[in-house]
Amino acid sequence: MNIPFLDLSRMEASLKVRLKKRFSELLDVGIFSGGKEVEVLENSVGDVLKSRFSISCANGTDALELALRALGIGPGDEVIVPAMTWVSTAEVVVMVGAKPIFRDTDADGLLQKDWEKAVTKKTKAVMPVHLYGKMVDMEDLTEKAKANGLFVVEDAAQSFGAFQNGKSAGTWGDVGCLSFYPTKNFGALGEAGMCLTQIQSLANHIRMLLNHGQPVRDQHESVGRNSRIDTIQAAFLNVLLEDFKTNQQKRKAIASQYLDAFSGIKSMRLPKGILESDHNAHLFVIQTEKRDELKAFLKERAIGTSIHYPMILPDMKPYLIEGDFYNARHSAKCGLSLPLNPYLKEEEVGIIIETTLKFFDSW
Ligand SMILES: *Cc1c(COP(=O)(O)O)cnc(C)c1O
């Protein structure tokens, strides 16, 4: 039996029927940019995440870039970014002409709490990343940001549906950015993203920037761009949102099985707090010194895994900068993502557990 890390073609037949139906309805309506589906998506996400303003856009990377632009961040400015994240977080800082300042993460891959030591006169913002679905301590981060007069742009691309003290990921910062990339826990059937903000003026600014700087049609107030969401993706997301809660329960149940099964393995570090509400169980990332051996062992037995991510940003050619980044480096070397998705069958979860235990028994 082959157990893929994630195979989106496995989505259940009844969901496929609903998606096809929505697609055929759209063909009859004939509106493929903007329209009611986009409005519904923004309102529904706003309701689910309790966000005042929810502005959909073309993808998560654009959402981050739009956030920085709307906040007026550009040349001469510095933005604090964790050394371990998906590349987008730093990429957008460079794209607006500012400089990413990398800080080490903690043992779980989240921006280390002493990040404010990197603040200089040039620092304009900090970008916490809720990596793997686990939220950064936002009470602490927003307080420090405020004390230093910094904007907070949350990279909530991996943390849709995580809540800390009743406030969702993406609603703590000045702007929070979501990605609906297909492999995320709330993913479209293509590219899509969203900015969340609780501030009216920022919401207006972001909406204007992503639509050619037009507050209203044919009135161009500033240089913008096109980063609108596809109507079709908004429509698919509206269907997929119906299953979100159930899928989250499945993720948490599998995560719980993994935790029970692996708690006795001394040479494995388990993801912290994955069953808590401030983790959405997007990824189940373990850490072990024998990561490469475990990955190969599972692969030989037809179990797919993934690495998020094998390289820290300061080691990448476009962002090259020397530094210790001890924890981030350790995560890159020892982190392994086990399959965790609603399409896994009970039997498959059993096999993943059994095979993993077998690997550690033999060491
Ligand atoms: C996926 C992701 C992004 C970018 O989202 P896209 O929709 O793929 O552009 C940004 N940051 C993080 C942490 C991500 O995981």
Side-chain angles (χ1 to χ4, degrees), residues 59-96:
N59 57 68
T61 308
D62 276 8
L64 291 164
E65 190 181 325
L66 288 162
L68 294 180
R69 283 196 193 285
L71 291 167
I73 291 164
D77 298 337
E78 292 179 354
V79 179
I80 297 172
V81 172
M84 166 58 87
T85 171
W86 172 241
V87 71
S88 300
T89 325
E91 200 170 45
V92 297
V93 176
V94 177
M95 287 304 284
V96 302

Side-chain angles (χ1 to χ4, degrees), residues 26 91 163 167 184 189 205 215 245 271 279 315 339 348 355:
L26 266 186
E91 200 170 45
F163 282 78
K167 266 172 88 169
K184 306 279 153 117
L189 308 186
H205 198 172
K245 253 199 187 151
H279 199 314
D315 285 351
E348 293 177 319
T355 314

Side-chain angles (χ1 to χ4, degrees), residues 132-334:
Y132 312 144
K134 175 71 175 173
M135 288 177 72
V136 169
D137 179 346
M138 290 307 287
E139 208 82 72
D140 181 75
L141 184 133
T142 49
E143 205 170 283
K144 286 173 180 163
K146 200 173 172 192
N148 287 284
L150 306 179
F151 293 122
V152 176
V153 175
E154 279 180 271
D155 184 338
Q158 298 189 4
S159 55
F160 187 93
F163 282 78
Q164 201 171 73
N165 304 335
K167 266 172 88 169
S168 81
T171 63
W172 288 78
D174 294 276
V175 186
C177 302
L178 308 176
S179 165
F180 304 126
Y181 184 72
T183 62
K184 306 279 153 117
N185 69 320
F186 179 46
L189 308 186
E191 310 283 345
M194 192 175 273
C195 288
L196 306 178
T197 183
Q198 314 314 307
I199 305 163
Q200 174 92 63
S201 58
L202 268 176
N204 295 349
H205 198 172
I206 291 167
R207 218 177 259 293
M208 188 174 82
L209 285 176
L210 69 84
N211 191 23
H212 304 293
Q214 303 173 101
V216 292
R217 196 179 166 151
D218 292 326
Q219 185 187 319
H220 301 270
E221 293 285 330
S222 65
V223 177
R225 52 180 297 191
N226 175 6
S227 181
R228 295 180 301 248
I229 191 173
D230 277 341
T231 305
I232 201 163
Q233 293 309 331
F236 288 148
L237 284 165
N238 286 330
V239 174
L240 291 156
L241 192 59
E242 295 165 5
D243 296 2
F244 180 70
K245 253 199 187 151
T246 316
N247 286 341
Q248 283 303 108
Q249 282 161 0
K250 287 184 190 165
R251 282 176 185 276
K252 292 269 177 168
I254 297 167
S256 168
Q257 278 178 276
Y258 283 161
L259 289 182
D260 286 346
F262 302 146
S263 62
I265 304 175
K266 285 200 190 72
S267 50
M268 182 196 282
R269 189 192 155 90
L270 290 163
K272 210 169 110 190
I274 193 162
L275 300 181
E276 285 161 26
S277 74
D278 75 344
H279 199 314
N280 68 0
H282 170 46
L283 293 172
F284 194 97
V285 182
I286 60 144
Q287 286 181 18
T288 170
E289 298 285 343
K290 298 158 195 158
R291 191 267 309 273
D292 294 336
E293 292 89 338
L294 173 60
K295 185 170 175 54
F297 186 88
L298 294 173
K299 192 180 172 197
E300 275 164 31
R301 286 151 187 85
I303 298 170
T305 57
S306 192
I307 297 175
H308 300 94
Y309 299 92
M311 201 188 235
I312 65 168
L313 269 54
D315 285 351
M316 293 178 186
K317 199 173 129 205
Y319 308 101
L320 213 55
I321 188 154
E322 271 177 42
D324 184 18
F325 307 114
Y326 178 85
N327 290 325
R329 253 179 239 289
H330 187 265
S331 304
K333 191 172 150 266
C334 299

